[in-house]
């Protein structure tokens, strides 16, 4: 099957963003409510459980023939809360994959403030579980409390450590260990998933196959800095290994060298 590849040039694996959405993010300060009130809870039941989950399942199945491998690994946590990390390669699929992976457990996703800044949809994303990154110290305290509360409630907290969307990227970008402090603070287990893209015989759009790995736990006898590094490396190595299952490249990413920028 011949696929016309789009080419994207990048300079920085940690910072370059290729999402098509252009949104002016609002600052998340101490006035932002991560827990929300009564109506957000009502919205969570209706928007997330009744609308988003069925739509997400149908969308992923119809467009990508979505398949999940090793979901049985998540049974080990039972009713406990846990953290889930994944690669960020699909602007339209990524909002739904965590809920499909963790079903029937509820999922809350750490997101860029862009996701709650959209004129209309931004009003609904908190009901879908969006936890926007804080913009100051007061908001950071509220953010950390919200994450701990979700884990205590037995929910899943989803984090995309690559931070930026690279559509259909078939490798794993290097990411920092900053977000791996949360599971250490909460004493929670860590899992990861890797979305891969695989050829389909009669469809140009590839099949999305999601591989789950874990659980990962840091050695509590180590300093926190070392524990974060240990968790990060375990997750990164598992994702790199799973990414080898990609067998179709929809977009070719080419790094611009310093001499090309001059």
């Amino acid at each position: 099957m011949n696929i016309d590849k789009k080419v994207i040039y990048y300079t920085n694996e940690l910072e370059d963003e290729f999402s098509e959405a252009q949104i002016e993010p609002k600052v998340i300060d101490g006035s932002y409510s991560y827990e929300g009130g009564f109506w957000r809870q009502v919205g969570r039941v209706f928007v997330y459980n009744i609308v988003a989950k069925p739509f997400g399942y149908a969308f992923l199945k119809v467009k990508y023939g979505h398949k999940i491998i090793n979901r049985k690994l998540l049974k080990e946590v039972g009713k406990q809360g846990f953290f889930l990390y994944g690669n960020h390669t699909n602007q339209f699929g990524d909002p739904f994959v965590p809920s499909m992976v963790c079903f029937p457990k509820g999922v809350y996703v750490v997101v860029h403030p862009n996701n709650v800044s959209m004129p209309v949809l931004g009003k609904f994303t908190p009901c879908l579980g969006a936890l926007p990154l804080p913009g100051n110290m007061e908001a950071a305290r509220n953010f950390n409390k919200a994450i701990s509360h979700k884990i205590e409630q037995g929910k899943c907290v989803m984090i995309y450590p690559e931070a930026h969307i690279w559509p259909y990227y078939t490798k794993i970008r290097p990411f920092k260990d900053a977000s791996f402090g949360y599971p250490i603070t909460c004493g929670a287990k860590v899992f990861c998933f890797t979305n891969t893209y695989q050829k389909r015989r009669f469809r140009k759009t590839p099949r999305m196959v999601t591989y789950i790995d874990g659980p990962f736990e840091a050695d509590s006898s180590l300093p926190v800095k070392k524990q974060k590094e240990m968790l990060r490396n375990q997750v990164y190595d598992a994702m790199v290994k799973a990414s080898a299952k990609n067998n179709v490249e929809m977009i070719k990413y080419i790094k611009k060298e310093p001499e090309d920028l001059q």
Side-chain angles (χ1 to χ4, degrees):
M1 177 174 61
N2 294 320
I3 297 177
D4 295 328
K5 292 182 185 178
K6 177 181 178 181
V7 176
I8 291 179
Y9 293 91
Y10 69 92
T11 58
N12 188 325
E13 293 94 331
L14 292 174
E15 301 297 335
D16 287 358
E17 169 70 66
F18 297 112
S19 169
E20 296 178 359
Q22 299 296 322
I23 301 165
E24 184 67 30
K26 65 182 181 181
V27 176
I28 305 300
D29 58 22
S31 66
Y32 183 85
S33 175
Y34 283 97
E35 297 295 339
F38 172 75
W39 288 111
R40 186 180 297 179
Q41 302 310 313
V42 172
R44 173 76 175 176
V45 173
F46 179 75
V47 178
Y48 179 69
N49 290 310
I50 298 177
V51 178
K53 279 187 177 180
F55 174 81
Y57 176 83
F59 172 77
L60 289 171
K61 280 293 185 183
V62 171
K63 183 162 181 69
Y64 295 107
H66 187 226
K67 184 178 181 180
I68 301 172
I69 307 296
N70 287 334
R71 185 161 49 186
K72 61 185 179 182
L73 294 175
L74 298 178
K75 291 182 179 180
E76 180 177 326
V77 297
K79 295 182 179 181
Q80 297 177 352
F82 64 91
F83 287 85
L84 182 64
Y85 294 79
N87 58 331
H88 212 3
T89 63
N90 197 299
Q91 182 175 348
F92 301 106
D94 285 355
F96 303 116
V97 171
S99 294
M100 301 303 105
V101 167
C102 298
F103 184 83
K105 191 182 290 288
V107 178
Y108 290 82
V109 185
V110 175
V111 301
H112 189 278
N114 283 351
N115 290 268
V116 296
S117 303
M118 294 173 282
V120 178
L121 189 57
K123 305 295 183 183
F124 293 95
T125 49
C127 298
L128 296 173
L131 299 173
L133 289 167
N136 60 29
M137 290 301 296
E138 184 180 2
R141 287 192 290 270
N142 296 337
F143 176 76
N144 291 333
K145 287 180 183 178
I147 286 181
S148 296
H149 188 215
K150 301 309 178 189
I151 295 298
E152 290 169 1
Q153 290 178 319
K155 308 300 184 183
C156 166
V157 174
M158 172 72 213
I159 297 173
Y160 288 101
E162 294 173 325
H164 303 284
I165 297 176
W166 284 27
Y168 293 107
Y169 192 59
T170 57
K171 298 179 182 178
I172 304 300
R173 288 165 276 153
F175 48 78
K176 300 177 182 179
D177 63 10
S179 65
F180 290 87
Y182 303 125
I184 294 171
T185 301
C186 296
K189 290 183 178 179
V190 170
F191 292 83
C192 72
F193 71 72
T194 309
N195 287 328
T196 66
Y197 299 99
Q198 302 181 15
K199 293 179 181 178
R200 286 196 281 182
R201 190 172 181 182
F202 300 110
R203 297 283 297 274
K204 182 176 180 179
T205 303
R207 178 187 297 277
M208 180 189 288
V209 182
T210 302
Y211 294 88
I212 302 173
D213 288 289
F216 306 105
E217 294 183 79
D219 184 348
S220 59
S221 67
L222 296 174
V224 171
K225 181 174 174 29
K226 290 292 184 182
Q227 291 185 56
K228 289 165 57 177
E229 185 179 316
M230 180 179 181
L231 277 177
R232 181 267 177 204
N233 291 342
Q234 289 176 337
V235 167
Y236 181 79
D237 290 345
M239 292 171 69
V240 167
K241 183 177 179 179
S243 70
K245 301 291 198 326
N246 282 288
N247 62 19
V248 60
E249 186 180 54
M250 299 289 289
I251 299 176
K252 187 174 185 63
Y253 288 82
I254 300 175
K255 186 170 185 176
K256 285 186 177 180
E257 299 301 332
E259 57 269 21
D260 297 327
L261 299 176
Q262 295 177 358

